[in-house]
Amino acid sequence: MHAIADTDGALAQWRARALDFENAVGRIVLGQERVIRLLTIAVFARGHVLLEGDVGVGKTTLLRALARAIGGAYERVEGTIDLMPADLVYDARVGEDGRPRVDPGPLLRRGPELSVFFFNEINRARPQVHAMLLRLMAERTVAAFGREYVFPFLQVFADRNRVEREETFELPAAARDRFFMEVQVKAPEDFAARRALVFEPRFHDTDRLIAEVPEAVIDHRNLDQVAREIQNAIPASDAIVAYTIALWDAIRTPDRAGITLPGVRMDRLVQGGASPRGMSFLIRAARVRAWLEGREIIVPEDLRAVFPEVMAHRIFFDPVYEMRREEIAADLCRAAFATVPAP
């Protein structure tokens, strides 16, 4: 494999920092190497991430560690049924002197230095809040107090409550498409990691654990520029272009590609999705993955490594198959790579 060849070595230096970043987070978040790699890719592709997973698997710890290693400010909001858009921008309360006062809310209190914003249980919030979050994700701006606030370094992370159905509002397709990736966070399978998380007191005090992460391993102020340079530095060959388009066709019209899945009518499975924007996100992720691996070109494995997280939530199924979405989407992605010949 070829090493990255930029004239001043800047991207090579940033790759070293990116690997230091992964190691710093991995020292306190055990057994989640793949998740950490995917989040690193999202950080350097400047994409927002929706996390999936059970309660207590370490999503908040992971994001706090990530935010500390990135630098800048971190804020977290809990989704509730009575949360309104205004609650994100200001805090109205009665002061100690008995007079009403208005303070900046979680979005505004850190100002333009806000780099990681975590929306916990996003599907507990109402559609009005989702709409505001979509603008924040798309434009990194919010309007409040008669002016527009800009968050130049912002990256949004969210997770969903997948267990309870009452008093929840699922994200519409347009909202899910705004997330660069949907990443599954599961309990670690490695025995040593599970034993440490359960029995070692070090992992029971989250605040002290987060304090072990070095601050600002990577500089959040430079991430946008580095992300652009990565995209310009990692080309896609004609063979990879043709391969990517063939994968796109396979997940849009799996019956024509010859894909079959047990118990599924392939001619009616996919109703839409896998848009050009989604495919462009796939290439963005693949370029960052190639860069992290120390290569100067995209190879098929780069596409395979990020495909489910970037593409699965952008494929819209016939309603009869939606209840089995997670299983069918994973099978469809695997089948596409098994069916389309790699260059």
Side-chain angles (χ1 to χ4, degrees), residues 30-302:
L30 302 184
Q32 301 290 357
E33 291 80 8
R34 173 172 167 77
V35 171
I36 293 171
R37 169 51 61 96
L38 289 168
L39 293 187
T40 303
I41 291 172
V43 166
F44 282 91
R46 308 310 295 140
H48 310 294
V49 178
L50 182 64
L51 299 173
E52 299 274 1
D54 294 330
V55 175
V57 294
K59 297 187 296 294
T60 301
T61 301
L62 172 61
L63 289 182
R64 287 182 63 188
L66 178 143
R68 185 174 171 89
I70 289 176
Y74 166 84
E75 283 288 343
R76 170 177 166 166
V77 167
E78 298 289 335
T80 61
I81 193 172
D82 59 347
L83 185 73
M84 297 302 291
D87 297 324
L88 300 182
V89 296
Y90 65 81
D91 176 24
R93 59 189 178 87
V94 177
E96 294 180 357
D97 57 2
R99 297 180 179 179
R101 56 180 298 175
V102 177
D103 294 325
L107 274 179
L108 303 188
R109 69 170 60 108
R110 299 301 189 98
E113 282 296 300
L114 183 60
S115 63
V116 174
F117 183 71
F118 178 31
F119 202 120
N120 192 39
E121 296 196 340
I122 188 174
N123 58 331
R124 284 197 179 278
R126 294 178 176 273
Q128 300 97 311
V129 179
H130 297 165
M132 179 180 180
L133 191 67
L134 284 182
R135 173 179 174 176
L136 180 67
M137 292 165 61
E139 304 176 11
R140 291 182 178 173
T141 65
V142 66
F145 304 111
R147 56 170 287 196
E148 187 173 78
Y149 292 82
V150 180
F151 307 93
F153 315 119
L154 181 66
Q155 191 168 10
V156 173
F157 296 83
D159 77 351
R160 292 190 297 174
N161 184 318
R162 299 198 306 168
V163 177
E164 297 169 282
R165 296 296 180 184
E166 295 183 359
E167 297 185 344
T168 60
F169 303 86
E170 288 305 320
L171 293 174
R176 294 184 69 176
D177 190 62
R178 290 289 181 182
F179 283 99
F180 184 70
M181 288 182 178
E182 286 193 9
V183 177
Q184 296 283 338
V185 184
K186 300 178 180 179
E189 297 182 359
D190 178 72
F191 177 79
R194 296 169 76 174
R195 180 179 60 185
L197 291 171
V198 173
F199 289 99
E200 292 186 18
R202 170 177 174 249
F203 295 100
H204 302 168
D205 187 334
T206 303
D207 290 339
R208 291 187 64 181
L209 192 63
I210 297 298
E212 295 181 17
V213 179
E215 291 189 76
V217 177
I218 53 179
D219 187 347
H220 65 287
R221 297 179 183 88
N222 293 325
L223 281 172
D224 279 5
Q225 177 62 34
V226 173
R228 285 191 292 270
E229 292 179 3
I230 293 170
Q231 296 302 308
N232 291 328
I234 309 294
S237 67
D238 291 343
I240 286 293
V241 170
Y243 183 54
T244 303
I245 299 300
L247 289 170
W248 189 9
D249 290 340
I251 59 173
R252 285 179 62 87
T253 54
D255 55 324
R256 295 182 189 174
I259 294 175
T260 59
L261 299 177
V264 176
R265 278 192 53 182
M266 303 308 297
D267 61 333
R268 62 176 293 184
L269 172 62
V270 178
Q271 298 297 298
S275 66
R277 177 168 62 192
M279 296 305 295
S280 71
F281 282 176
L282 174 67
I283 295 303
R284 278 172 57 185
R287 283 180 169 138
V288 176
R289 202 261 181 180
W291 171 71
L292 288 171
E293 293 291 324
R295 283 184 272 98
E296 61 182 5
I297 58 171
I298 298 173
V299 299
E301 184 55 33
D302 295 321

Side-chain angles (χ1 to χ4, degrees), residues 11-32:
L11 280 183
Q13 293 176 12
W14 268 96
R15 177 177 176 269
R17 294 183 198 174
L19 298 180
D20 288 343
F21 169 84
E22 285 188 326
N23 290 333
V25 176
R27 281 195 292 270
I28 71 161
V29 182
L30 302 184
Q32 301 290 357

